[in-house]
Amino acid sequence: MSVFAVCAGVQMKMKGRIFIMRWWVFFICAALCLAAAAVGAFIRSKTRYRRGRLLDPAKIFFAGIVVSAVLLFIPIYMDTFKDGDCGAFETFLIAIHNMIRLFIVDGEFEFITTHLSGLSVGLSRAYTVFFSFLFVVAPLMTFGFVLSFFKNVSAYKRYLTHFYSNAYIFSELNEKSIALAESLFKNDKKKRIFVFTDVFEKDEEECYELIERAKEIGAICFKKDIVTIDFSWHSKKAQLNFFAIGVDLSENISQSLSLIERFKYRENTNLYVFSTQVESELLLTNAFNQEHKEGMTETKIKVRRVNEVQSLISRTLFDVGYDKIFCSAYEDEKGTKQISALVVGMGNHGKEMTKALAWFCQMDGYEVRINSFDSDPRACDKLTALCPELMDPRFNGVFDVEGEAKYEIRVHSGVDVETKSFEDAVASLPRVTYVFVALGNDEKNISTAVRLRALFARLGYAPKIHAVVYNADKKEALTGITNFKNQKYDIDFIGDIRTSYSEAVILDSDVEAAALKRHMMWGKEKEFWQYDYNYKSSIASAIHRKMKSLCNIPGIDKAPSERTEEELWGIRTLEHCRWNAYMRSEGYAYGGTVEKEGRNDLAKLHNCLVPFRDLPLKEQEKDDD
């Protein structure tokens, strides 16, 4: 055999090996791409959807199929064009073309099997199985995308057919938004249309139940985000009510800013922003202030920030505060009525209640002592950082300064409520008259409230108990509970989603109406909703005004001009005591001088945080209620 023949044979074997290796390389790369896409899609499906993200699970898996299909087609067309003039670029484009045909059910499987005939049995089988999978999955994904498109088109069509209806549009379908929508639906079925956005139909039982509840009220469901849907095609005479009510509080803010920008000049437009974050107040206020700086037209959209924690505390004090707190006080040997409040848990609710009780209980003839417990060893330090002057020993626990707030707050840090130490600490307190339990968990709140009821029964008295329970069904089942001897536990469960997210609370709140009425005596309505300072201070004023009337403060229900000098002095002094405690609970401290303007709201310093007698007459007269 000649040398040339041997070389030719070796060259043929090398080409054959390169040929086989090339097919294996592209197959392995395609398999790895699809596997990586499947894993990535699975991981992404376990994370919460965020507005504007490009990499959702369907898109990740779709990209994996696209890349793997192109990789599988490349060796086929490299083999087809091996003797032609087509280069790598043309081969790549033809591979993309055939990948597209897969998705539109135009692929030719026979063409593929023909080119696999020259491969080994194992490699040919691997390619056949892989292509079979792609020929089935690719059209299904195409069908899914088309179906999704038509679902959104159908939703748009339904929305346009309710052109003259008042629209209630929610940024997300969740327990809170569906509870509010159901409440609105009960009160007015005909003139309202409900829209949920960012709705993804998954197999999870909870998601399925939410969608079924949405269907029961005839709601329209969009898969798109609230800011990507054009809601401007609606009668100008009808209301557009937007609710940024997602689980992600930061996303609620960003969505709200986009909605303000788009609908700021539209009449009959309301935006409800659900957030407990401080940044929401700053961002939303700045969005309005920017227009005034630029000399733009005044906005027409009405924006309301809903803080569910503050809302629950305000509503509880306004509705039942007199019965549960003032009426349960006991009289000591000096004839002073003692309010001894126990707050269990210093999370958002417990912290807010502790601060609120300090100003709420400022009433002639009463003294309030508040004991708050939390397992956090830094609970007291954290409250002091928020409200330094409220916790200052110069004011906290001081009851003998005339014209000054009278309260005592003690925070018991690092105490586990499930321990004997907690029970011993509670038993050592002065007779407790009111209990507020908010540990952030329904089960803990219920069990702790029941344990405390048993403890107080052993101690021989029965304070009023409020326990926060989020689950509406649990709350309903627990109402009026008794033991096996038919003895009542007498525990009031508050804060359930069905009540907290209802039309009466979110849209038609009695306490908000009373607060707005008081604010309008000196300010504009827009400033009430726009600035948290105005909103919260008016809420506190309205609550305490109701308590003064129920506690029969002399002259409180008379017009200021009809009050006697003694009544005026008493009302002014009491209101200033209440105001001092409230401002300190908001983090304010004394700053400047009384004689001239010295307040600095950025630094939270106020020149009027002094005893009433030290105020100039002009400032005293402001407290005429």
Side-chain angles (χ1 to χ4, degrees):
M1 183 180 294
S2 67
V3 175
F4 292 105
V6 173
C7 290
V10 171
Q11 188 176 11
M12 288 294 293
K13 288 183 179 181
M14 288 294 294
K15 285 184 177 180
R17 289 178 181 177
I18 292 172
F19 175 78
I20 297 298
M21 185 179 298
R22 183 173 64 202
W23 282 81
W24 272 115
V25 167
F26 279 101
F27 176 83
I28 292 171
C29 288
L32 289 175
C33 283
L34 188 60
V39 172
F42 175 78
I43 294 173
R44 197 61 168 169
S45 68
K46 298 301 179 181
T47 61
R48 189 181 174 277
Y49 173 80
R50 289 180 177 271
R51 178 178 61 86
R53 77 178 186 186
L54 296 175
L55 301 177
D56 59 50
K59 290 178 182 177
I60 293 174
F61 193 60
F62 176 80
I65 291 177
V66 167
V67 174
S68 60
V70 171
L71 289 173
L72 290 180
F73 275 117
I74 286 176
I76 293 177
Y77 283 99
M78 289 179 71
D79 185 44
T80 302
F81 300 140
K82 62 183 178 181
D83 298 324
D85 297 328
C86 290
F89 182 68
E90 291 88 344
T91 301
F92 179 68
L93 291 179
I94 294 297
I96 292 176
H97 169 75
N98 275 269
M99 174 273 295
I100 294 173
R101 292 178 66 187
L102 276 180
F103 286 94
I104 59 175
V105 201
D106 189 37
E108 297 180 7
F109 200 79
E110 185 179 353
F111 168 77
I112 295 170
T113 55
T114 300
H115 283 271
L116 298 178
S117 59
L119 303 177
S120 64
V121 175
L123 184 57
S124 175
R125 180 64 178 168
Y127 264 86
T128 302
V129 172
F130 206 149
F131 268 116
S132 299
F133 173 78
L134 294 180
F135 266 76
V136 173
V137 174
L140 287 176
M141 293 208 70
T142 303
F143 176 75
F145 283 121
V146 171
L147 183 62
S148 173
F149 170 77
F150 281 109
K151 279 187 176 181
N152 276 314
V153 169
S154 175
Y156 270 117
K157 182 180 177 182
R158 287 193 60 205
Y159 176 71
L160 292 175
T161 58
H162 292 83
F163 184 75
Y164 295 104
S165 301
N166 291 331
Y168 295 81
I169 303 162
F170 300 86
S171 65
E172 190 175 285
L173 177 59
N174 54 43
E175 285 289 348
K176 296 175 181 178
S177 61
I178 193 65
L180 179 53
E182 288 172 338
S183 174
L184 290 162
F185 177 75
K186 289 177 183 177
N187 296 334
D188 191 349
K189 299 180 180 180
K190 295 182 179 179
K191 297 181 180 179
R192 292 172 171 175
I193 181 65
F194 304 97
V195 179
F196 292 96
T197 63
D198 202 5
V199 179
F200 284 80
E201 297 183 17
K202 300 178 181 178
D203 294 332
E204 287 88 343
E205 182 180 354
E206 181 182 359
C207 184
Y208 173 78
E209 290 177 354
L210 290 174
I211 292 174
E212 288 300 304
R213 287 169 66 181
K215 289 179 180 178
E216 288 176 4
I217 62 174
I220 300 169
C221 294
F222 284 94
K223 297 185 74 173
K224 290 185 176 181
D225 188 272
I226 191 170
V227 299
T228 64
I229 302 171
D230 187 4
F231 291 109
S232 60
W233 293 92
H234 208 77
S235 171
K236 303 297 182 184
K237 297 180 180 179
Q239 284 188 0
L240 280 182
N241 300 284
F242 294 99
F243 299 87
I245 195 172
V247 175
D248 188 331
L249 302 184
S250 297
E251 186 177 21
N252 290 346
I253 299 170
S254 61
Q255 289 173 334
S256 299
L257 294 173
S258 298
L259 292 170
I260 290 172
E261 181 63 27
R262 185 178 303 177
F263 295 98
K264 57 189 173 185
Y265 302 128
R266 187 188 186 277
E267 299 276 5
N268 297 318
T269 307
N270 300 295
L271 170 62
Y272 298 82
V273 187
F274 292 74
S275 177
T276 57
Q277 297 177 336
V278 175
E279 67 174 315
S280 63
E281 177 194 355
L282 302 177
L283 290 171
L284 294 174
T285 299
N286 188 60
F288 285 100
N289 288 343
Q290 193 64 33
E291 296 179 8
H292 294 296
K293 293 176 185 177
E294 299 172 0
M296 298 173 66
T297 306
E298 187 175 359
T299 56
K300 303 293 175 56
I301 187 173
K302 294 181 180 179
V303 180
R304 294 170 59 178
R305 189 168 78 94
V306 181
N307 184 322
E308 62 177 342
V309 174
Q310 293 174 2
S311 175
L312 175 60
I313 302 304
S314 299
R315 192 169 72 250
T316 301
L317 296 178
F318 186 78
D319 292 341
V320 299
Y322 175 73
D323 295 330
K324 302 297 182 182
I325 298 175
F326 286 109
C327 290
S328 64
Y330 65 90
E331 195 171 301
D332 64 13
E333 63 278 1
K334 297 179 181 179
T336 302
K337 294 182 179 178
Q338 296 292 333
I339 298 173
S340 177
L342 170 64
V343 177
V344 185
M346 286 292 284
N348 290 332
H349 287 92
K351 196 179 300 177
E352 198 65 33
M353 180 59 86
T354 298
K355 295 192 305 179
L357 286 171
W359 57 260
F360 176 81
C361 297
Q362 295 302 309
M363 197 66 64
D364 290 344
Y366 288 83
E367 289 182 354
V368 59
R369 288 171 172 79
I370 307 160
N371 285 274
S372 301
F373 288 80
D374 196 89
S375 59
D376 186 349
R378 298 175 297 170
C380 184
D381 191 35
K382 289 179 179 179
L383 182 61
T384 304
L386 282 177
C387 321
E389 198 160 283
L390 183 73
M391 302 296 290
D392 193 312
R394 292 177 299 162
F395 311 102
N396 185 12
V398 178
F399 292 89
D400 57 358
V401 179
E402 185 180 354
E404 183 55 270
K406 299 173 179 62
Y407 62 88
E408 181 183 58
I409 299 175
R410 293 177 60 199
V411 178
H412 304 258
S413 306
V415 180
D416 189 337
V417 299
E418 296 180 350
T419 63
K420 182 70 164 51
S421 299
F422 168 69
E423 292 191 359
D424 291 342
V426 172
S428 68
L429 298 176
R431 176 182 165 185
V432 176
T433 61
Y434 174 71
V435 179
F436 181 78
V437 182
L439 294 164
N441 176 282
D442 284 358
E443 184 178 348
K444 280 188 177 182
N445 292 342
I446 295 166
S447 62
T448 302
V450 170
R451 281 178 53 228
L452 285 172
R453 176 57 75 206
L455 173 62
F456 293 129
R458 292 195 295 271
L459 295 173
Y461 56 89
K464 304 295 183 183
I465 299 179
H466 275 147
V468 177
V469 172
Y470 301 99
N471 187 293
D473 294 329
K474 280 186 181 180
K475 182 215 170 176
E476 188 175 340
L478 290 168
T479 301
I481 54 171
T482 61
N483 65 6
F484 71 102
K485 289 286 188 178
N486 206 32
Q487 295 172 300
K488 291 185 178 181
Y489 283 97
D490 196 20
I491 300 171
D492 292 321
F493 299 98
I494 61 174
D496 66 285
I497 287 178
R498 197 175 297 155
T499 302
S500 298
Y501 292 86
S502 63
E503 182 173 11
V505 171
I506 304 300
L507 278 74
D508 297 321
S509 167
D510 290 341
V511 64
E512 279 187 352
L516 178 59
K517 183 178 179 180
R518 297 186 70 74
H519 173 83
M520 293 296 288
M521 295 176 182
W522 61 271
K524 298 179 181 178
E525 180 178 355
K526 182 178 179 180
E527 294 169 344
F528 174 77
W529 300 113
Q530 183 177 348
Y531 299 107
D532 230 32
Y533 176 89
N534 294 337
Y535 177 86
K536 291 172 66 176
S537 63
S538 297
I539 289 284
S541 177
I543 293 171
H544 205 260
R545 174 61 180 79
K546 181 180 178 181
M547 297 306 111
K548 291 189 186 97
S549 181
L550 292 171
C551 290
N552 297 315
I553 296 301
I556 192 64
D557 293 322
K558 296 179 183 178
S561 60
E562 298 174 355
R563 292 167 180 162
T564 65
E565 286 298 322
E566 185 178 356
E567 288 171 344
L568 277 173
W569 180 265
I571 290 171
R572 290 172 178 175
T573 304
L574 176 57
E575 175 57 19
H576 185 70
C577 292
R578 194 277 314 171
W579 182 85
N580 274 5
Y582 169 77
M583 292 296 283
R584 289 174 184 140
S585 75
E586 288 296 301
Y588 276 77
Y590 173 75
T593 60
V594 179
E595 290 75 18
K596 60 182 181 179
E597 183 68 26
R599 65 183 294 177
N600 183 335
D601 290 282
L602 186 62
K604 288 197 169 184
L605 296 174
H606 205 294
N607 59 320
C608 292
L609 278 168
V610 295
F612 181 74
R613 64 174 180 271
D614 294 337
L615 290 174
L617 181 60
K618 182 180 178 181
E619 294 295 335
Q620 290 181 353
E621 290 174 348
K622 288 183 179 180
D623 291 315
D624 276 352
D625 194 51

